């Protein structure tokens, strides 16, 4: 009986000492501890009555025990130290999940929804502070969310992840990533050093300030030797940055791996900057092809995997895979050399991925940005839909965000007026969550679809 296990049954009790006063029997299930006179058990009816009394007594003791246990281990009293369970698959989401997926359009094709979660004021405040370059104040506002009533909402966590990546603060990122994984019972996000904007005037001039049309190669289906035709266009381009789409690759052949490997090595050695969509997806396709000690797939898939890890500056994963390669082929593995320009890795796109070239926005946009806006208008004049690649956009200040919103509104309206049809389709892809929150606050989502990157 748990807490009352010290109470023994009658036949387990020790024999009474000579001259000891006899204990009273339990007579009534209501008055459990009331004394009564023991009656002789000389009839079957009397034995049954005593059994009923014993059962009632045991039930009463169990009830008392349960009440005492509830008082000692009160769930409400301990609620402050208990972690809320993760949302089960198929269960209704918390309000902020609607903000993450609908308002910021994390999930492709989701309709716009007006949601005002409890963390909205803090989210908007942090977005404005960050846009104005007040990183410490923005961090404080978001960290306050993590210990307040909106701790179970994911949006402040995601914004804080992006703030730490944009400012190159890996230790702080890893610290809250552990808390995030524990709190939401999910895999922690990975730190992406390439997300952090380049520092210094030389780095800014070299690549961070670049904006314009990015040649894109979208590989899909089976990665085989025919991929060379699509990659040739990217290799022949003179643009300093190119984009590669691996999100819809379903399988790979050794020949296809060799073709892509050669293209990636050529781009890296030429100092070209890469935006790679779905790199982790391609890695997941390659892994099953490789087994330690099995040379059947040849070296190309192994070397392609190592090249991808090198481009994304994932040294630890590179070294582990290189050791497996060494054991399998009994050859010295390639050595890790941090790339001069690590590839910007963005998540795998959904089924509604827009193919073709995109207009890449620079890492930081400040002020009126007239030249940039004019370039966007020129790009829009040559394309039916406008797709802005925001994978490298770490920050846009308040003034620039307003100017961008006004220009996009103008482009959307002009398309509808000139052709007498619906407004131009405008999309901003791979936004970080700080920028997405700011643009949403300024109403840019009314005439453009905002796709934040996924964690």
């Amino acid at each position: 009986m748990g807490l009352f296990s010290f109470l023994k049954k009658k036949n387990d009790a020790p024999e009474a000492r000579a001259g000891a006063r006899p204990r009273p029997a339990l007579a009534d299930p209501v008055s459990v501890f009331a004394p009564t006179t023991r009656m002789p058990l000389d009839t079957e009816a009397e034995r049954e009555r005593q059994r009923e009394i014993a059962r009632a007594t045991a039930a009463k003791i169990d009830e008392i025990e349960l009440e005492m246990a509830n008082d000692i281990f009160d769930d409400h009293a301990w609620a402050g130290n208990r972690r809320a369970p993760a949302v089960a698959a198929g269960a209704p989401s918390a309000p902020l999940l609607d903000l993450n997926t609908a308002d910021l359009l994390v999930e492709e094709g989701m309709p716009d929804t007006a949601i005002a979660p409890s963390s909205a004021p803090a989210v908007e405040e942090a977005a404005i502070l960050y846009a104005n370059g007040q990183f410490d104040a923005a961090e404080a506002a978001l960290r306050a969310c993590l210990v307040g009533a909106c701790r179970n909402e994911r949006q402040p966590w995601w914004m804080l992840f992006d703030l730490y990546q944009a400012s190159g603060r890996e230790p702080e990122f890893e610290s809250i990533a552990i808390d995030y994984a524990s709190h939401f019972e999910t895999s922690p996000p990975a730190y992406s050093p390439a997300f952090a904007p380049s520092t210094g005037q030389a780095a800014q001039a070299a690549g961070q300030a670049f904006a314009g049309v990015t040649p894109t190669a979208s590989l899909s289906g089976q990665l085989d030797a025919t991929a060379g035709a699509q990659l040739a266009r990217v290799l022949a381009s003179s643009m300093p940055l190119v984009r590669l789409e691996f999100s819809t690759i379903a399988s790979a052949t050794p020949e296809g791996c060799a073709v892509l490997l050669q293209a990636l090595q050529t781009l890296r050695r030429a100092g070209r900057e890469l935006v790679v969509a779905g790199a982790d997806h391609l890695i997941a396709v390659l892994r099953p092809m490789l087994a330690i000690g099995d040379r059947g797939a040849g070296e190309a898939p192994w070397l392609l995997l190592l090249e991808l890890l090198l481009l994304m500056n994932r040294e630890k994963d590179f070294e582990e895979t290189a050791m497996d390669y060494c054991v399998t082929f009994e050859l010295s593995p390639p050595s890790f050399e941090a790339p001069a320009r690590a590839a910007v890795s963005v998540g795998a796109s959904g089924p509604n991925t827009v193919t073709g070239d995109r207009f890449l926005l620079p890492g930081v946009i400040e002020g009126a940005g007239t030249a940039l806006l004019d370039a966007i208008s020129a790009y829009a004049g040559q394309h039916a839909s406008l797709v802005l690649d925001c994978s490298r956009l770490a920050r846009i200040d308040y003034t620039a965000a307003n100017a961008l919103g006004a220009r996009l509104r103008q482009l959307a309206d002009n398309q509808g007026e000139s052709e007498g049809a619906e407004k131009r389709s405008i999309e901003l892809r791979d936004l970080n969550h700080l920028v997405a929150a700011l643009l949403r606050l300024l109403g840019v989502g009314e005439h453009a679809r905002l796709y934040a990157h996924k964690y």
Side-chain angles (χ1 to χ4, degrees):
M1 293 185 184
L3 296 176
F4 292 93
S5 59
F6 59 85
L7 297 178
K8 304 293 184 179
K9 295 180 182 179
K10 179 180 176 182
N11 57 2
D12 292 334
E15 295 182 2
R17 297 188 303 273
R21 184 178 178 178
R23 295 182 180 179
L26 294 175
D28 189 353
V30 177
S31 302
V32 176
F33 301 106
T36 186
T37 302
R38 183 179 301 277
M39 299 180 65
L41 304 180
D42 54 356
T43 67
E44 185 61 32
E46 184 61 22
R47 293 190 186 94
E48 182 61 27
R49 192 175 83 86
Q50 290 297 328
R51 283 194 290 268
E52 288 295 329
I53 292 174
R55 283 194 289 267
T57 301
K60 187 65 177 179
I61 292 175
D62 286 343
E63 181 181 352
I64 296 172
E65 177 186 18
L66 178 61
E67 291 177 359
M68 292 181 63
N70 286 339
D71 289 339
I72 296 173
F73 304 105
D74 183 12
D75 285 346
H76 296 290
W78 289 75
N81 295 328
R82 296 175 67 191
R83 180 170 290 112
V87 178
S93 300
L96 185 70
L97 293 182
D98 291 331
L99 169 68
N100 297 339
T101 57
D103 289 333
L104 299 184
L105 297 178
V106 176
E107 292 293 337
E108 308 262 345
M110 292 286 287
D112 293 326
T113 307
I115 299 295
S118 60
S119 64
V123 164
E124 294 172 355
E125 177 189 7
I128 295 173
L129 290 170
Y130 177 78
N132 292 334
Q134 298 175 271
F135 291 178
D136 292 340
E139 178 187 5
L142 292 172
R143 277 200 168 273
C145 285
L146 305 192
V147 296
C150 54
R151 178 173 172 78
N152 291 332
E153 300 172 357
R154 302 193 185 214
Q155 183 65 17
W157 294 84
W158 293 348
M159 294 173 70
L160 199 54
F161 286 144
D162 286 343
L163 186 151
Y164 287 146
Q165 289 189 111
S167 53
R169 297 167 61 182
E170 184 175 3
E172 290 86 350
F173 180 98
E174 297 295 350
S175 177
I176 68 163
I178 295 173
D179 294 341
Y180 176 85
S182 175
H183 184 71
F184 292 105
E185 299 180 3
T186 186
S187 299
Y191 180 77
S192 177
F195 182 81
S198 303
T199 57
Q201 295 182 353
Q204 186 81 2
Q208 194 64 31
F210 169 78
V213 179
T214 54
T216 301
S218 299
L219 306 181
S220 60
Q222 186 180 61
L223 175 62
D224 54 27
T226 61
Q230 299 180 58
L231 295 169
R233 174 177 172 272
V234 170
L235 293 170
S237 170
S238 60
M239 302 300 291
L241 185 144
V242 298
R243 181 184 179 93
L244 300 175
E245 290 272 1
F246 302 146
S247 304
T248 55
I249 293 178
S251 61
T253 66
E255 295 77 15
C257 292
V259 169
L260 179 56
L261 170 64
Q262 183 178 3
L264 292 177
Q265 291 176 337
T266 300
L267 292 169
R268 176 168 57 87
R269 291 165 182 165
R272 307 279 288 278
E273 192 171 355
L274 299 179
V275 174
V276 181
D280 287 329
H281 171 79
L282 178 54
I283 289 174
V285 171
L286 295 174
R287 290 282 189 193
M289 300 175 61
L290 312 179
I292 300 177
D294 183 1
R295 304 182 184 183
E299 294 185 51
W302 286 89
L303 296 176
L304 175 59
L305 176 57
L306 289 169
E307 183 69 20
L308 289 170
L309 295 174
L310 186 150
L311 284 171
M312 292 185 291
N313 204 23
R314 290 164 55 174
E315 183 174 3
K316 180 179 179 181
D317 292 338
F318 180 96
E319 296 296 349
E320 291 176 354
T321 305
M323 184 60 64
D324 294 341
Y325 169 85
C326 174
V327 171
T328 300
F329 293 96
E330 300 179 0
L331 297 172
S332 298
S335 58
F336 181 85
E337 298 178 1
R341 295 180 182 176
V344 177
S345 177
V346 296
S349 305
N352 298 328
T353 300
V354 177
T355 59
D357 298 344
R358 304 181 180 190
F359 189 97
L360 180 73
L361 296 182
V364 177
I365 306 176
E366 296 177 320
T370 304
L372 175 63
L373 298 180
D374 289 344
I376 292 175
S377 297
Y379 170 80
Q382 302 173 2
H383 298 80
S385 61
L386 175 59
V387 182
L388 300 181
D389 184 349
C390 306
S391 57
R392 291 198 313 164
L393 178 59
R395 185 175 70 88
I396 180 172
D397 70 16
Y398 197 86
T399 300
N402 269 316
L404 176 62
R407 181 62 62 94
L408 295 181
R409 184 184 306 111
Q410 178 185 358
L411 292 172
D413 292 341
N414 289 347
Q415 176 79 2
E417 293 175 1
S418 61
E419 299 183 5
E422 296 181 356
K423 292 184 178 181
R424 182 195 305 272
S425 172
I426 301 178
E427 299 180 0
L428 282 74
R429 296 271 178 164
D430 297 316
L431 286 159
N432 78 51
H433 293 275
L434 290 155
V435 175
L438 177 66
L439 296 180
R440 174 182 173 273
L441 173 63
L442 297 178
V444 178
E446 297 175 3
H447 44 270
R449 295 182 66 81
L450 310 178
Y451 293 86
H453 72 81
K454 301 180 183 180
Y455 276 116

